Amino acid sequence: MITIKVPCSSANIGPGFDVVGLSLSIWLSLQVNITTTTNTPTLTYPLNCKITYEGEGASHVPLAADANLITRTALYVLKCHGQRTFPPTTHIHIINPIPLGRGLGSSGAAVVAGVLLANSVGKLGLSKDRMMDYCLMIERHPDNVMAAMMGGFVGTYLKELDPVDMERKEIPLAEVLPEPAGGEDTGLRPPAPPLGIGHYIKFGWAKEIKAVAIIPDFEVPTATARGVLPDVYSRKDMIFNLQRLAVLTTALTRSPPDAELIFQAMQDKVHQPYRKNLIPGLPEILASVTPQSHPGLLGICLSGAGPTILALATHNFEHIAEMIMTRFKQEGITCRYELLEPAYEGAQVIES
């Protein structure tokens, strides 16, 4: 039995669009069992893989190994190493409490889980750094997958790649969930990713700070949220974000946290203003929930592409969450909230 655990994540944290990510304590879990006894007759499944599933999206998540993002990712990695199927009689039970399409890194967690799955069942012996190269061929934005794999609060960047390396049909793409493109079995062995695609650094995190995730009951597909962004930004807006990001990554390490400094450093002009029409009430929520109006609050932002709102705070968590949920209710949107902490250890594989 192999257990794989991958945390959810929140990207951007205000000004750090496509740059910073924070792993958080909602865990995708895979329970992997490979039956080796020959005494009991067993059913055969396509690609030697039976998938069962519980949790978020159970009514519509595909359970075929060549369609599910986790196993499609794993098959890509296995094929890069000359293995075209899972080991015989592989059973993968997926337990997923991460909301889908809500800006909490569900696809990033699935990709990381798939790469870890391939490394385990294929006995590939890949390091976490090398596994990240495979993750980044599939999930082209490093903030979520790097946080999920490595844990904690991370800053990331990508090496420029030759477009030819990224266009192979055998590579599944997470960007267009719920129907990932690519991952086709062309009969060819996919090329291994270049070495060192992504690079990261772990920032500190003040022990007092927790994350309140207010999760609306509707989805915003990543592709839709990216589609509303401009192709070109003004110098003024880019400087605005760079100044704040330079302060934020250190401000969140300081104990005790400086609420006014963090609140101002979490302001953004690159992605949140353009996504306001996708998330009813967003501008009012971001403007009205402040450290002055809600003691304990440090900062507030969209989590990833949204619609989840992430509020960083030191206390008064329930009151902050209730206020934001009340504002969403005025728009006819129901929500729930989770009180989360950084998942410092990142993705884990436990063999028993």
Side-chain angles (χ1 to χ4, degrees), residues 289-331:
V289 183
T290 70
Q292 290 74 34
S293 65
H294 294 77
L297 180 79
L298 299 174
I300 186 169
C301 63
L302 264 185
S303 180
T308 293
I309 301 292
L310 192 75
L312 301 183
T314 57
H315 60 280
N316 213 13
F317 309 115
E318 184 175 359
H319 178 64
I320 293 167
E322 291 290 347
M323 186 277 166
I324 296 170
M325 291 193 293
T326 299
R327 183 62 188 83
F328 270 127
K329 191 174 182 179
Q330 294 172 9
E331 302 288 340

Side-chain angles (χ1 to χ4, degrees), residues 16 76 113 139 204 213 273 318:
Y76 158 64
E139 179 94 2
E318 184 175 359

Side-chain angles (χ1 to χ4, degrees), residues 58-71:
S59 63
H60 59 272
V61 168
L63 300 182
D66 60 353
N68 184 279
L69 180 57
I70 294 172
T71 47

